[in-house]
Amino acid sequence: LLPSLALALALARLALEAYEAHTEYLERALSLASTRLESLGVVTEKRAVAVVQDLLSLPLKRKGGDVLYVLELTEWPRLVSRLEPDEQRRVVSRLLREVAGRGCVISDPLRADRLLVLCAPLLQGDSSPAAPANGAETANGASDRSDADGLDAELAGEMAPVAAMMHTLAHEDTDAEARVLNAAYKHAAAAAPGRLPHVLVPLLFRFLQLARRVRLAEEGGATLEVSCGKLLAFVGQIVQAVTAAAPNLALRLYVQCAQVADSCGDDDGAYEYLTQAFTLFEEEVAEQSAKLAALSLLSAALPHMTSFSAEQYETLARSATQYGATLLKKPDQEQRRRK
């Protein structure tokens, strides 16, 4: 096994150094390794894993051209699949860091789809039924070192390359960009519960940025397939998907959506999102400190809304005042009990 893999590695190096423009030579070298491993299933032997890792890393070191050309190599994804899930995550993370680091722009829905198919090990986490060690990730992608919102710092670091990649999804045409983002959403929405916020939040902000662009285009008289109203309605679905895993974060995202809707002149959308934020405040935010921070955010955002009618503003302001009065009463009640 090792001699065959070493030969494939040597041929891949030769292909990249002497025939960089001829990707078919690189493909043949990768095919040699993939075929040799086909009968073995998943590679577990340490030296073999190291050679396969080197083989998969070589195309990412290519100096010229777009690093995403690896998506066009049939054998590269096949070779990745021969590794254990942890090793797959390392390889895919390396690819995503190269994509973001080189300033790549993913403007084709098909490319976005292929890349996110490769991201499946990162999106799904470890599906092993074995009990996790202290601080390790559980089968559904969560960690026992999660904060009150279920978000773990270590997991956030692992998912950072995926989050950064979401910001490379772009297109000059707004309708085309909407299709690219939608292709990414289909994969992101299927992520494990503990990993869902880490991929949906950056995607949400891409949709909000697109909504602003679309609004400007509409004001200029453009006729678009995907309107600003459609985008602003869709981001609500994204926040709703985040709510179960991270209600405190979802509250803040609703406020962000309300601000964008307000800047786009969608008073009904802005009112709906702030109403949803107040609902989460009442039903999901439990800790006193979290309630105070959330109410401060809501109270600070409300005066900056310019599209509300007097009735809408008074309704939301009344809610903020009532919740604030309730929060102020609780410390007084505690002091009286102690006395």
Side-chain angles (χ1 to χ4, degrees):
L1 175 62
L2 284 174
S4 299
L5 293 178
L7 175 60
L9 181 60
L11 290 173
R13 281 177 177 152
L14 177 63
L16 284 173
E17 291 174 7
Y19 307 99
E20 187 176 14
H22 295 273
T23 55
E24 66 271 19
Y25 297 155
L26 175 61
E27 187 84 282
R28 289 177 190 173
L30 296 175
S31 178
L32 174 63
S34 183
T35 304
R36 182 65 182 85
L37 295 170
E38 193 169 357
S39 60
L40 301 177
V42 176
V43 185
T44 55
E45 203 276 322
K46 289 184 179 180
R47 290 178 297 174
V49 168
V51 177
V52 173
Q53 285 276 15
D54 289 341
L55 191 53
L56 289 168
S57 298
L58 273 180
L60 304 183
K61 298 175 183 176
R62 185 186 184 193
K63 295 179 181 178
D66 184 358
V67 70
L68 285 172
Y69 82 103
V70 298
L71 298 178
E72 314 302 327
L73 300 173
T74 344
E75 297 298 333
W76 199 86
R78 284 183 59 194
L79 201 52
V80 172
S81 69
R82 302 300 176 195
L83 297 171
E84 292 183 318
D86 282 346
E87 299 297 332
Q88 290 184 32
R89 283 192 280 272
R90 290 190 184 94
V91 172
V92 175
S93 294
R94 170 77 182 276
L95 171 60
L96 295 179
R97 284 194 293 269
E98 289 290 336
V99 169
R102 296 191 189 192
C104 297
V105 176
I106 304 173
S107 55
D108 178 24
L110 183 58
R111 262 196 166 187
D113 183 72
R114 287 177 179 173
L115 182 56
L116 281 152
V117 166
L118 278 175
C119 290
L122 280 169
L123 296 177
Q124 297 304 323
D126 187 4
S127 58
S128 170
N134 183 33
E137 187 183 324
T138 59
N140 67 355
S143 166
D144 65 356
R145 286 207 304 258
S146 300
D147 59 17
D149 244 354
L151 302 179
D152 176 73
E154 186 176 346
L155 181 56
E158 182 182 333
M159 297 299 293
V162 185
M165 182 273 296
M166 292 297 181
H167 293 284
T168 67
L169 306 173
H171 199 286
E172 291 181 0
D173 180 79
T174 57
D175 287 337
E177 182 169 324
R179 287 190 285 272
V180 175
L181 294 178
N182 189 54
Y185 171 76
K186 290 177 182 178
H187 291 275
R195 293 171 179 257
L196 202 62
H198 300 289
V199 290
L200 284 184
V201 171
L203 194 56
L204 169 73
F205 280 94
R206 294 294 297 116
F207 274 109
L208 290 176
Q209 289 168 2
L210 180 59
R212 291 181 187 272
R213 284 181 56 202
V214 169
R215 179 58 180 169
L216 289 174
E218 288 175 340
E219 289 176 349
T223 303
L224 303 172
E225 178 185 344
V226 181
S227 66
C228 180
K230 286 182 180 178
L231 291 168
L232 290 174
F234 183 68
V235 293
Q237 297 179 32
I238 300 179
V239 180
Q240 189 174 7
V242 174
T243 301
N248 290 281
L249 173 61
L251 185 151
R252 285 159 173 73
L253 293 177
Y254 272 130
V255 174
Q256 187 71 46
C257 292
Q259 290 174 326
V260 174
D262 179 73
S263 69
C264 294
D266 184 359
D267 58 328
D268 290 335
Y271 181 79
E272 173 64 23
Y273 286 140
L274 275 187
T275 302
Q276 292 291 341
F278 275 111
T279 301
L280 282 181
F281 173 85
E282 183 177 8
E283 297 179 358
E284 300 290 344
V285 182
E287 296 182 3
Q288 188 77 1
S289 58
K291 278 186 172 293
L292 181 59
L295 187 58
S296 298
L297 176 66
L298 287 163
S299 300
L302 192 54
H304 296 283
M305 300 292 175
T306 58
S307 64
F308 287 159
S309 66
E311 182 181 356
Q312 289 173 325
Y313 185 87
E314 287 174 6
T315 301
L316 293 171
R318 189 182 307 112
S319 296
T321 303
Q322 290 172 349
Y323 288 131
T326 303
L327 282 177
L328 289 173
K329 286 180 181 178
K330 288 186 177 180
D332 291 339
Q333 291 172 351
E334 290 295 328
Q335 288 180 2
R336 289 173 184 173
R337 287 174 186 173
R338 290 174 185 174
K339 291 179 180 179

